[in-house]
Amino acid sequence: MKILITASFLLAVACGTSTSSSTVSAVDVTPAPCAVPRTNSIHMTAMATAPDGKKSDVSGAVAWTTGNSQTATVNASGIVVGVSAGVTAITATYKGATGKVDCTVTP
């Protein structure tokens, strides 16, 4: 009985360690290129790549930012809204990795 409890404890510790120490080697933002008419919206997606090459959708967990909120805004869900004609960068940051795409807003 004591060995079973110890094995369960070690399994829980090992699982917790691998989850908490995960890193990201890259973040890819799509669609690329991004184009949206003024006053319309487009949903961006962020895919994280782990060092082992595995990819996962982290769109809801990234920090989304825009290079120029007078051209386009982006909310926490990755929804970009065109404000005025021009080009701005849309950036997604996750666990220290950053992905960026230029987004063109058309009249």
Side-chain angles (χ1 to χ4, degrees):
M1 183 99 164
K2 184 176 182 181
I3 294 173
L4 179 61
I5 292 171
T6 303
S8 297
F9 175 74
L10 291 175
L11 179 60
V13 170
C15 290
T17 301
S18 63
T19 302
S20 65
S21 66
S22 63
T23 59
V24 175
S25 58
V27 174
D28 296 314
V29 178
T30 56
C34 164
V36 61
R38 189 178 66 79
T39 73
N40 288 352
S41 64
I42 189 168
H43 187 217
M44 306 302 287
T45 302
M47 296 294 289
T49 304
D52 64 2
K54 292 182 183 177
K55 294 184 182 261
S56 58
D57 186 342
V58 294
S59 301
V62 300
W64 292 101
T65 57
T66 179
N68 184 347
S69 61
Q70 292 185 2
T71 301
T73 60
V74 62
N75 69 14
S77 298
I79 305 294
V80 174
V81 177
V83 177
S84 63
V87 178
T88 187
I90 302 298
T91 304
T93 304
Y94 181 72
K95 293 190 176 183
T98 300
K100 180 172 69 169
V101 64
D102 284 334
C103 192
T104 301
V105 178
T106 57

Coordinates of all heavy atoms in Angstrom, one line a residue:
M1 N 0.8 -1.2 0.0 CA 0.0 0.0 0.0 C 0.9 1.2 0.0 O 0.6 2.2 -0.7 CB -0.9 0.0 1.2 CG -1.8 1.1 1.3 SD -3.4 0.6 0.6 CE -4.5 1.8 1.2
K2 N 1.9 1.3 0.7 CA 2.8 2.4 0.8 C 3.5 2.7 -0.6 O 3.6 3.8 -1.0 CB 3.9 2.2 1.9 CG 4.8 3.4 2.1 CD 5.7 3.2 3.2 CE 6.6 4.4 3.4 NZ 7.6 4.2 4.5
I3 N 3.8 1.7 -1.3 CA 4.5 1.8 -2.6 C 3.5 2.5 -3.6 O 3.8 3.4 -4.3 CB 5.0 0.5 -3.1 CG1 6.1 0.0 -2.2 CG2 5.4 0.6 -4.6 CD1 6.6 -1.4 -2.6
L4 N 2.2 2.1 -3.5 CA 1.2 2.6 -4.4 C 1.0 4.1 -4.2 O 1.0 4.9 -5.1 CB -0.1 1.9 -4.3 CG -1.3 2.4 -5.1 CD1 -0.9 2.3 -6.6 CD2 -2.5 1.6 -4.8
I5 N 1.0 4.6 -2.9 CA 0.8 6.0 -2.6 C 2.0 6.8 -3.1 O 1.9 7.8 -3.7 CB 0.6 6.2 -1.1 CG1 -0.7 5.6 -0.7 CG2 0.7 7.6 -0.7 CD1 -0.9 5.5 0.8
T6 N 3.2 6.2 -2.9 CA 4.5 6.9 -3.4 C 4.5 7.0 -4.9 O 4.8 8.1 -5.4 CB 5.7 6.1 -2.9 OG1 5.7 6.0 -1.5 CG2 7.0 6.8 -3.3
A7 N 4.1 6.0 -5.6 CA 4.0 6.0 -7.1 C 3.0 7.0 -7.5 O 3.3 7.8 -8.5 CB 3.7 4.6 -7.6
S8 N 1.9 7.1 -6.9 CA 0.9 8.1 -7.3 C 1.4 9.5 -7.1 O 1.2 10.4 -7.9 CB -0.4 7.9 -6.5 OG -1.0 6.7 -6.8
F9 N 2.1 9.7 -6.0 CA 2.6 11.0 -5.7 C 3.7 11.4 -6.7 O 3.7 12.5 -7.2 CB 3.2 11.1 -4.2 CG 3.9 12.4 -3.9 CD1 3.2 13.5 -3.6 CD2 5.3 12.4 -3.9 CE1 3.8 14.7 -3.4 CE2 5.9 13.6 -3.7 CZ 5.2 14.8 -3.4
L10 N 4.6 10.5 -7.0 CA 5.6 10.8 -8.0 C 5.0 11.1 -9.4 O 5.5 12.0 -10.1 CB 6.6 9.7 -8.1 CG 7.5 9.5 -6.8 CD1 8.4 8.2 -7.0 CD2 8.4 10.7 -6.6
L11 N 4.0 10.4 -9.8 CA 3.3 10.6 -11.0 C 2.8 12.0 -11.1 O 2.9 12.8 -12.0 CB 2.3 9.6 -11.3 CG 1.5 9.8 -12.6 CD1 2.4 9.7 -13.8 CD2 0.4 8.7 -12.7
A12 N 2.1 12.5 -10.0 CA 1.5 13.8 -10.0 C 2.6 14.9 -10.0 O 2.5 15.9 -10.7 CB 0.7 14.0 -8.7
V13 N 3.7 14.7 -9.3 CA 4.8 15.6 -9.3 C 5.4 15.7 -10.7 O 5.6 16.8 -11.3 CB 5.9 15.3 -8.3 CG1 7.1 16.1 -8.5 CG2 5.3 15.5 -6.9
A14 N 5.6 14.6 -11.4 CA 6.2 14.6 -12.7 C 5.3 15.3 -13.7 O 5.7 16.1 -14.5 CB 6.5 13.2 -13.2
C15 N 4.0 15.1 -13.6 CA 3.1 15.7 -14.6 C 3.0 17.2 -14.3 O 3.1 18.0 -15.3 CB 1.6 15.2 -14.4 SG 1.5 13.5 -15.0
G16 N 3.0 17.6 -13.1 CA 3.0 19.1 -12.8 C 4.3 19.7 -13.2 O 4.3 20.8 -13.7
T17 N 5.4 19.1 -13.2 CA 6.7 19.7 -13.6 C 6.7 19.9 -15.1 O 7.1 20.9 -15.5 CB 7.9 18.8 -13.1 OG1 7.8 18.7 -11.7 CG2 9.2 19.4 -13.6
S18 N 6.3 18.9 -15.8 CA 6.4 19.1 -17.3 C 5.4 20.1 -17.8 O 5.7 20.8 -18.7 CB 6.1 17.7 -18.0 OG 4.7 17.3 -17.7
T19 N 4.3 20.3 -17.1 CA 3.3 21.3 -17.6 C 3.8 22.7 -17.2 O 3.8 23.6 -18.0 CB 2.0 21.1 -16.9 OG1 1.5 19.8 -17.2 CG2 0.9 22.1 -17.3
S20 N 4.4 22.9 -16.0 CA 4.7 24.3 -15.6 C 6.0 24.7 -16.3 O 6.3 25.9 -16.3 CB 4.9 24.3 -14.1 OG 5.9 23.5 -13.7
S21 N 6.8 23.9 -16.8 CA 8.1 24.3 -17.3 C 8.1 24.4 -18.9 O 9.1 24.5 -19.5 CB 9.2 23.3 -16.9 OG 9.0 22.1 -17.5
S22 N 6.9 24.3 -19.5 CA 6.8 24.3 -20.9 C 7.2 25.7 -21.5 O 7.0 26.7 -20.8 CB 5.4 24.0 -21.4 OG 4.5 24.9 -20.9
T23 N 7.9 25.6 -22.6 CA 8.3 26.9 -23.2 C 7.8 26.9 -24.7 O 7.3 25.9 -25.2 CB 9.9 27.0 -23.3 OG1 10.4 25.8 -24.0 CG2 10.4 27.0 -21.9
V24 N 7.9 28.0 -25.3 CA 7.5 28.2 -26.6 C 8.6 28.7 -27.5 O 9.3 29.6 -27.1 CB 6.3 29.2 -26.7 CG1 5.9 29.5 -28.1 CG2 5.1 28.7 -25.9
S25 N 8.8 28.1 -28.6 CA 9.9 28.6 -29.5 C 9.5 29.6 -30.6 O 10.2 30.3 -31.1 CB 10.6 27.4 -30.1 OG 9.7 26.6 -30.9
A26 N 8.1 29.6 -30.9 CA 7.6 30.5 -31.9 C 6.1 30.6 -31.7 O 5.4 29.7 -31.2 CB 7.9 30.0 -33.3
V27 N 5.6 31.8 -32.2 CA 4.2 32.0 -32.3 C 3.9 32.5 -33.7 O 4.5 33.4 -34.2 CB 3.7 33.1 -31.3 CG1 2.2 33.4 -31.5 CG2 3.9 32.6 -29.9
D28 N 3.0 31.8 -34.4 CA 2.6 32.1 -35.7 C 1.2 32.7 -35.7 O 0.3 32.2 -35.1 CB 2.6 30.9 -36.7 CG 4.0 30.3 -36.8 OD1 4.9 31.1 -37.1 OD2 4.1 29.1 -36.7
V29 N 1.0 33.9 -36.4 CA -0.3 34.6 -36.4 C -0.8 34.5 -37.8 O -0.2 34.7 -38.8 CB -0.1 36.1 -36.0 CG1 -1.4 36.8 -36.1 CG2 0.5 36.2 -34.6
T30 N -2.1 34.1 -37.9 CA -2.8 34.0 -39.2 C -4.2 34.7 -39.0 O -4.7 34.8 -37.9 CB -3.0 32.5 -39.6 OG1 -3.7 31.8 -38.6 CG2 -1.7 31.9 -39.9
P31 N -4.8 35.1 -40.1 CA -4.3 35.0 -41.5 C -3.2 35.9 -41.8 O -3.1 37.0 -41.2 CB -5.5 35.3 -42.3 CG -6.4 36.2 -41.5 CD -6.1 35.8 -40.1
A32 N -2.3 35.5 -42.7 CA -1.2 36.3 -43.1 C -1.1 36.2 -44.6 O -1.0 35.1 -45.1 CB 0.1 35.8 -42.5
P33 N -1.2 37.3 -45.3 CA -1.4 38.6 -44.8 C -2.8 38.8 -44.3 O -3.7 38.1 -44.7 CB -1.1 39.5 -46.1 CG -1.5 38.6 -47.2 CD -1.2 37.2 -46.8
C34 N -3.0 39.8 -43.5 CA -4.3 40.2 -42.9 C -4.8 41.4 -43.7 O -4.1 42.4 -43.9 CB -4.1 40.6 -41.5 SG -5.4 41.4 -40.7
A35 N -6.0 41.3 -44.1 CA -6.7 42.5 -44.8 C -8.1 42.6 -44.3 O -8.8 41.5 -44.2 CB -6.7 42.3 -46.3
V36 N -8.6 43.8 -44.0 CA -9.9 44.0 -43.4 C -10.4 45.3 -43.9 O -9.7 46.3 -43.9 CB -9.9 43.8 -41.9 CG1 -9.1 44.9 -41.2 CG2 -11.4 43.9 -41.4
P37 N -11.6 45.4 -44.4 CA -12.2 46.7 -44.8 C -12.5 47.5 -43.5 O -12.8 47.0 -42.4 CB -13.5 46.3 -45.5 CG -13.4 44.9 -45.9 CD -12.5 44.3 -44.8
R38 N -12.4 48.8 -43.6 CA -12.7 49.8 -42.5 C -14.1 49.4 -42.0 O -15.0 49.2 -42.7 CB -12.7 51.2 -43.0 CG -12.7 52.2 -42.0 CD -12.6 53.6 -42.5 NE -13.8 54.0 -43.4 CZ -15.0 54.4 -42.9 NH1 -15.2 54.5 -41.6 NH2 -15.9 54.7 -43.7
T39 N -14.2 49.4 -40.7 CA -15.4 49.1 -39.9 C -15.8 47.7 -39.8 O -16.7 47.3 -39.1 CB -16.7 50.0 -40.3 OG1 -17.2 49.5 -41.5 CG2 -16.4 51.4 -40.3
N40 N -15.1 46.8 -40.6 CA -15.3 45.4 -40.5 C -14.3 44.7 -39.6 O -13.4 45.4 -39.1 CB -15.2 44.7 -41.9 CG -16.4 45.1 -42.8 OD1 -17.3 45.7 -42.3 ND2 -16.3 44.8 -44.0
S41 N -14.5 43.4 -39.3 CA -13.6 42.7 -38.4 C -13.1 41.4 -39.0 O -13.7 40.9 -39.9 CB -14.3 42.4 -37.1 OG -15.4 41.6 -37.3
I42 N -12.0 40.9 -38.4 CA -11.4 39.6 -38.8 C -10.9 39.0 -37.5 O -10.4 39.7 -36.7 CB -10.3 39.8 -39.9 CG1 -9.9 38.5 -40.4 CG2 -9.2 40.6 -39.4 CD1 -9.0 38.6 -41.7
H43 N -11.0 37.7 -37.5 CA -10.6 36.9 -36.3 C -9.2 36.4 -36.5 O -9.0 35.6 -37.5 CB -11.6 35.8 -35.9 CG -11.2 35.1 -34.7 ND1 -11.4 33.8 -34.5 CD2 -10.8 35.6 -33.5 CE1 -11.0 33.4 -33.3 NE2 -10.6 34.5 -32.7
M44 N -8.2 36.8 -35.7 CA -6.9 36.3 -35.8 C -6.7 35.0 -35.0 O -7.4 34.8 -34.0 CB -5.9 37.3 -35.3 CG -6.0 38.7 -36.0 SD -5.9 38.7 -37.8 CE -4.1 38.5 -37.9
T45 N -5.7 34.2 -35.4 CA -5.4 33.0 -34.7 C -3.9 32.9 -34.4 O -3.1 33.4 -35.2 CB -5.8 31.7 -35.6 OG1 -7.1 31.8 -35.9 CG2 -5.4 30.4 -34.8
A46 N -3.6 32.5 -33.2 CA -2.1 32.3 -32.8 C -1.9 30.9 -32.5 O -2.5 30.3 -31.7 CB -1.8 33.2 -31.6
M47 N -0.8 30.3 -33.2 CA -0.4 29.0 -32.9 C 1.0 29.0 -32.3 O 1.9 29.6 -32.9 CB -0.4 28.2 -34.3 CG -1.7 28.0 -34.9 SD -2.9 27.0 -34.0 CE -2.2 25.4 -34.2
A48 N 1.1 28.3 -31.2 CA 2.4 28.3 -30.5 C 3.1 27.0 -30.9 O 2.5 25.9 -31.0 CB 2.3 28.3 -29.0
T49 N 4.4 27.1 -31.1 CA 5.2 25.9 -31.4 C 6.2 25.6 -30.3 O 6.9 26.5 -29.8 CB 6.1 26.1 -32.7 OG1 5.2 26.5 -33.8 CG2 6.9 24.9 -33.1
A50 N 6.1 24.4 -29.7 CA 7.0 24.0 -28.6 C 8.3 23.6 -29.1 O 8.4 23.4 -30.3 CB 6.3 22.9 -27.8
P51 N 9.3 23.6 -28.3 CA 10.7 23.2 -28.8 C 10.7 21.8 -29.5 O 11.5 21.6 -30.3 CB 11.5 23.2 -27.5 CG 10.9 24.2 -26.6 CD 9.4 24.0 -26.9
D52 N 9.7 20.9 -29.1 CA 9.7 19.6 -29.7 C 8.9 19.6 -31.0 O 8.7 18.6 -31.7 CB 9.1 18.6 -28.8 CG 7.7 18.8 -28.4 OD1 7.1 19.8 -28.9 OD2 7.1 18.1 -27.6
G53 N 8.4 20.8 -31.5 CA 7.8 20.9 -32.7 C 6.2 20.8 -32.7 O 5.6 21.1 -33.7
K54 N 5.7 20.5 -31.5 CA 4.3 20.3 -31.4 C 3.6 21.7 -31.4 O 4.1 22.7 -30.8 CB 3.9 19.6 -30.1 CG 4.3 18.2 -30.1 CD 3.8 17.5 -28.8 CE 4.3 16.1 -28.8 NZ 3.9 15.4 -27.5
K55 N 2.5 21.8 -32.1 CA 1.8 23.1 -32.3 C 0.5 23.1 -31.5 O -0.2 22.0 -31.5 CB 1.5 23.4 -33.7 CG 2.8 23.7 -34.5 CD 2.5 24.1 -35.9 CE 3.8 24.3 -36.7 NZ 4.2 25.7 -36.8
S56 N 0.1 24.2 -31.0 CA -1.2 24.3 -30.3 C -1.8 25.7 -30.4 O -1.0 26.7 -30.5 CB -1.1 23.9 -28.8 OG -0.1 24.8 -28.2
D57 N -3.1 25.7 -30.5 CA -3.8 27.0 -30.7 C -3.8 27.7 -29.3 O -4.4 27.2 -28.4 CB -5.2 26.7 -31.2 CG -6.0 28.0 -31.5 OD1 -5.6 29.1 -31.0 OD2 -7.0 27.9 -32.2
V58 N -3.2 28.8 -29.2 CA -3.2 29.6 -28.0 C -3.8 31.0 -28.2 O -3.6 31.9 -27.4 CB -1.7 29.8 -27.5 CG1 -1.1 28.4 -27.1 CG2 -0.8 30.4 -28.5
S59 N -4.7 31.1 -29.1 CA -5.4 32.4 -29.5 C -6.0 33.0 -28.3 O -5.9 34.3 -28.1 CB -6.4 32.2 -30.6 OG -5.8 31.6 -31.7
G60 N -6.6 32.3 -27.4 CA -7.3 32.8 -26.2 C -6.3 33.1 -25.1 O -6.7 33.8 -24.1
A61 N -5.1 32.7 -25.2 CA -4.1 32.9 -24.1 C -3.1 34.0 -24.4 O -2.3 34.3 -23.4 CB -3.5 31.6 -23.7
V62 N -3.0 34.4 -25.6 CA -1.9 35.4 -25.9 C -2.3 36.8 -25.5 O -3.5 37.1 -25.3 CB -1.6 35.3 -27.5 CG1 -1.1 34.0 -27.9 CG2 -2.8 35.8 -28.3
A63 N -1.3 37.7 -25.5 CA -1.6 39.1 -25.3 C -1.6 39.7 -26.7 O -0.6 39.6 -27.4 CB -0.5 39.7 -24.5
W64 N -2.7 40.2 -27.2 CA -2.8 40.8 -28.5 C -2.6 42.3 -28.4 O -3.1 42.9 -27.5 CB -4.2 40.5 -29.1 CG -4.6 39.1 -29.4 CD1 -5.3 38.3 -28.7 CD2 -4.2 38.4 -30.6 NE1 -5.4 37.0 -29.3 CE2 -4.7 37.1 -30.5 CE3 -3.4 38.7 -31.7 CZ2 -4.5 36.1 -31.5 CZ3 -3.2 37.8 -32.7 CH2 -3.8 36.5 -32.6
T65 N -1.8 42.8 -29.4 CA -1.6 44.3 -29.4 C -1.6 44.7 -30.9 O -1.4 43.9 -31.8 CB -0.3 44.7 -28.8 OG1 0.8 44.0 -29.4 CG2 -0.2 44.4 -27.3
T66 N -1.9 46.0 -31.1 CA -1.8 46.6 -32.4 C -0.7 47.7 -32.4 O -0.5 48.3 -31.3 CB -3.2 47.2 -32.7 OG1 -3.1 47.9 -34.0 CG2 -3.6 48.3 -31.7
G67 N -0.1 47.9 -33.5 CA 0.9 48.9 -33.6 C 0.3 50.3 -33.7 O 1.0 51.2 -33.4
N68 N -0.9 50.4 -34.2 CA -1.5 51.7 -34.4 C -3.0 51.5 -34.2 O -3.7 51.1 -35.2 CB -1.2 52.3 -35.7 CG -1.7 53.7 -35.9 OD1 -2.5 54.2 -35.2 ND2 -1.2 54.4 -37.0
S69 N -3.6 51.9 -33.1 CA -5.0 51.8 -32.8 C -5.9 52.7 -33.6 O -7.1 52.6 -33.7 CB -5.3 51.9 -31.3 OG -4.9 53.2 -30.9
Q70 N -5.2 53.7 -34.3 CA -6.0 54.6 -35.2 C -6.2 53.9 -36.6 O -7.1 54.4 -37.3 CB -5.3 55.9 -35.3 CG -5.4 56.7 -34.0 CD -4.8 58.1 -34.1 OE1 -4.4 58.5 -35.2 NE2 -4.8 58.8 -33.0
T71 N -5.5 52.9 -36.8 CA -5.6 52.1 -38.1 C -6.5 50.9 -37.8 O -7.4 50.6 -38.6 CB -4.3 51.7 -38.7 OG1 -3.5 52.8 -38.9 CG2 -4.4 50.9 -40.0
A72 N -6.2 50.1 -36.8 CA -7.0 48.9 -36.4 C -6.8 48.7 -34.9 O -5.8 48.9 -34.3 CB -6.5 47.7 -37.2
T73 N -7.9 48.1 -34.3 CA -7.9 47.7 -32.9 C -7.9 46.2 -32.9 O -8.3 45.5 -33.8 CB -9.1 48.3 -32.2 OG1 -10.3 47.8 -32.7 CG2 -9.1 49.8 -32.2
V74 N -7.5 45.6 -31.8 CA -7.5 44.2 -31.6 C -7.9 44.0 -30.1 O -7.4 44.6 -29.2 CB -6.2 43.5 -31.9 CG1 -5.0 44.0 -31.1 CG2 -6.4 42.0 -31.9
N75 N -8.8 43.1 -29.9 CA -9.3 42.8 -28.5 C -8.6 41.5 -28.0 O -7.8 40.9 -28.7 CB -10.8 42.7 -28.4 CG -11.4 41.5 -29.1 OD1 -10.7 40.6 -29.4 ND2 -12.7 41.5 -29.3
A76 N -8.9 41.2 -26.7 CA -8.2 40.0 -26.1 C -8.6 38.7 -26.8 O -7.8 37.7 -26.6 CB -8.7 40.0 -24.6
S77 N -9.6 38.6 -27.6 CA -10.0 37.4 -28.3 C -9.3 37.3 -29.7 O -9.5 36.4 -30.4 CB -11.5 37.3 -28.4 OG -12.1 37.3 -27.2
G78 N -8.6 38.4 -30.1 CA -7.9 38.4 -31.4 C -8.8 38.9 -32.5 O -8.5 38.7 -33.7
I79 N -9.9 39.6 -32.1 CA -10.7 40.2 -33.2 C -10.1 41.6 -33.6 O -10.0 42.5 -32.7 CB -12.2 40.4 -32.7 CG1 -12.7 39.1 -32.2 CG2 -13.0 41.0 -33.7 CD1 -12.9 38.0 -33.2
V80 N -9.8 41.7 -34.8 CA -9.2 43.0 -35.3 C -10.4 43.7 -36.0 O -11.1 43.1 -36.9 CB -8.1 42.7 -36.3 CG1 -7.6 44.0 -37.0 CG2 -6.9 42.0 -35.6
V81 N -10.5 45.0 -35.7 CA -11.5 45.9 -36.4 C -10.8 47.0 -37.1 O -10.0 47.7 -36.5 CB -12.5 46.5 -35.3 CG1 -13.5 47.4 -36.0 CG2 -13.2 45.3 -34.6
G82 N -11.1 47.1 -38.4 CA -10.5 48.2 -39.2 C -11.1 49.5 -38.8 O -12.3 49.7 -38.7
V83 N -10.2 50.5 -38.5 CA -10.6 51.9 -38.1 C -10.5 52.8 -39.2 O -11.4 53.6 -39.6 CB -9.8 52.3 -36.8 CG1 -10.2 53.7 -36.5 CG2 -10.1 51.4 -35.7
S84 N -9.3 52.9 -39.8 CA -9.1 53.8 -41.0 C -8.0 53.1 -41.9 O -7.2 52.3 -41.5 CB -8.6 55.2 -40.5 OG -7.3 55.1 -39.8
A85 N -8.1 53.5 -43.2 CA -7.2 52.9 -44.2 C -5.7 53.1 -43.8 O -5.3 54.1 -43.3 CB -7.5 53.6 -45.5
G86 N -5.0 52.0 -44.0 CA -3.6 52.0 -43.7 C -3.1 50.6 -43.3 O -3.8 49.6 -43.5
V87 N -1.9 50.5 -42.8 CA -1.3 49.2 -42.4 C -0.7 49.3 -41.0 O -0.1 50.3 -40.6 CB -0.1 48.9 -43.4 CG1 0.6 47.6 -43.0 CG2 -0.6 48.8 -44.8
T88 N -1.0 48.3 -40.2 CA -0.5 48.3 -38.8 C -0.1 46.8 -38.5 O -0.6 45.9 -39.1 CB -1.5 48.8 -37.8 OG1 -0.8 48.9 -36.5 CG2 -2.7 48.0 -37.7
A89 N 0.8 46.7 -37.6 CA 1.2 45.4 -37.1 C 0.2 44.9 -36.0 O -0.2 45.6 -35.2 CB 2.6 45.4 -36.5
I90 N -0.1 43.6 -36.1 CA -0.9 42.9 -35.1 C 0.0 41.9 -34.5 O 0.6 41.1 -35.2 CB -2.2 42.2 -35.7 CG1 -3.1 43.3 -36.4 CG2 -2.9 41.5 -34.6 CD1 -3.6 44.4 -35.5
T91 N 0.2 42.0 -33.2 CA 1.2 41.1 -32.5 C 0.5 40.3 -31.4 O -0.4 40.7 -30.7 CB 2.3 42.0 -31.8 OG1 2.8 42.9 -32.8 CG2 3.4 41.2 -31.2
A92 N 1.0 39.0 -31.4 CA 0.6 38.1 -30.3 C 1.8 37.6 -29.5 O 2.8 37.2 -30.1 CB -0.1 36.9 -31.0
T93 N 1.7 37.8 -28.2 CA 2.8 37.4 -27.3 C 2.4 36.3 -26.4 O 1.3 36.4 -25.8 CB 3.4 38.6 -26.6 OG1 3.7 39.6 -27.5 CG2 4.6 38.2 -25.7
Y94 N 3.2 35.2 -26.3 CA 2.8 34.1 -25.4 C 4.1 33.5 -24.9 O 5.0 33.1 -25.6 CB 2.0 33.1 -26.2 CG 1.6 31.8 -25.5 CD1 0.6 31.9 -24.5 CD2 2.2 30.6 -25.7 CE1 0.1 30.8 -23.8 CE2 1.8 29.5 -25.0 CZ 0.8 29.6 -24.1 OH 0.4 28.5 -23.4
K95 N 4.2 33.4 -23.6 CA 5.3 32.8 -22.8 C 6.7 33.3 -23.4 O 7.6 32.5 -23.6 CB 5.2 31.3 -22.9 CG 4.1 30.8 -22.1 CD 4.2 29.3 -22.0 CE 3.0 28.7 -21.1 NZ 3.1 27.3 -20.9
G96 N 6.7 34.6 -23.7 CA 8.0 35.2 -24.1 C 8.2 35.2 -25.6 O 9.2 35.8 -26.1
A97 N 7.4 34.4 -26.3 CA 7.6 34.4 -27.8 C 6.6 35.3 -28.4 O 5.5 35.5 -27.9 CB 7.4 32.9 -28.3
T98 N 6.9 35.9 -29.6 CA 6.1 36.9 -30.2 C 5.9 36.5 -31.7 O 6.9 36.1 -32.4 CB 6.7 38.3 -30.1 OG1 6.8 38.6 -28.8 CG2 5.9 39.3 -30.8
G99 N 4.7 36.7 -32.2 CA 4.4 36.5 -33.6 C 3.7 37.8 -34.1 O 3.0 38.5 -33.3
K100 N 4.0 38.2 -35.3 CA 3.5 39.5 -35.8 C 3.1 39.3 -37.3 O 3.7 38.6 -38.0 CB 4.6 40.5 -35.7 CG 4.1 41.9 -36.2 CD 5.2 43.0 -35.8 CE 6.4 42.8 -36.6 NZ 7.3 44.0 -36.5
V101 N 2.0 40.0 -37.7 CA 1.6 40.1 -39.1 C 1.1 41.5 -39.3 O 0.6 42.2 -38.5 CB 0.5 39.1 -39.3 CG1 -0.8 39.4 -38.5 CG2 0.2 38.9 -40.8
D102 N 1.4 42.0 -40.5 CA 0.9 43.3 -41.0 C -0.5 43.1 -41.4 O -0.8 42.2 -42.1 CB 1.8 43.9 -42.1 CG 3.1 44.4 -41.6 OD1 3.2 44.8 -40.4 OD2 4.1 44.5 -42.4
C103 N -1.3 44.1 -41.0 CA -2.7 44.0 -41.3 C -3.1 45.3 -42.1 O -2.8 46.4 -41.6 CB -3.6 43.9 -40.1 SG -5.3 43.5 -40.4
T104 N -3.6 45.1 -43.3 CA -4.0 46.2 -44.1 C -5.5 46.5 -44.0 O -6.3 45.6 -44.1 CB -3.7 45.9 -45.6 OG1 -2.3 45.6 -45.8 CG2 -4.1 47.1 -46.5
V105 N -5.8 47.8 -43.7 CA -7.2 48.2 -43.6 C -7.5 49.0 -44.9 O -6.8 49.9 -45.2 CB -7.5 49.1 -42.3 CG1 -8.9 49.6 -42.3 CG2 -7.1 48.3 -41.1
T106 N -8.5 48.5 -45.6 CA -8.9 49.2 -46.8 C -10.1 50.1 -46.6 O -10.9 49.9 -45.6 CB -9.3 48.1 -47.9 OG1 -10.3 47.3 -47.4 CG2 -8.1 47.2 -48.2
P107 N -10.3 51.1 -47.4 CA -11.4 52.1 -47.3 C -12.7 51.4 -47.3 O -12.9 50.4 -47.9 CB -11.2 53.1 -48.4 CG -9.8 52.9 -48.9 CD -9.4 51.5 -48.5

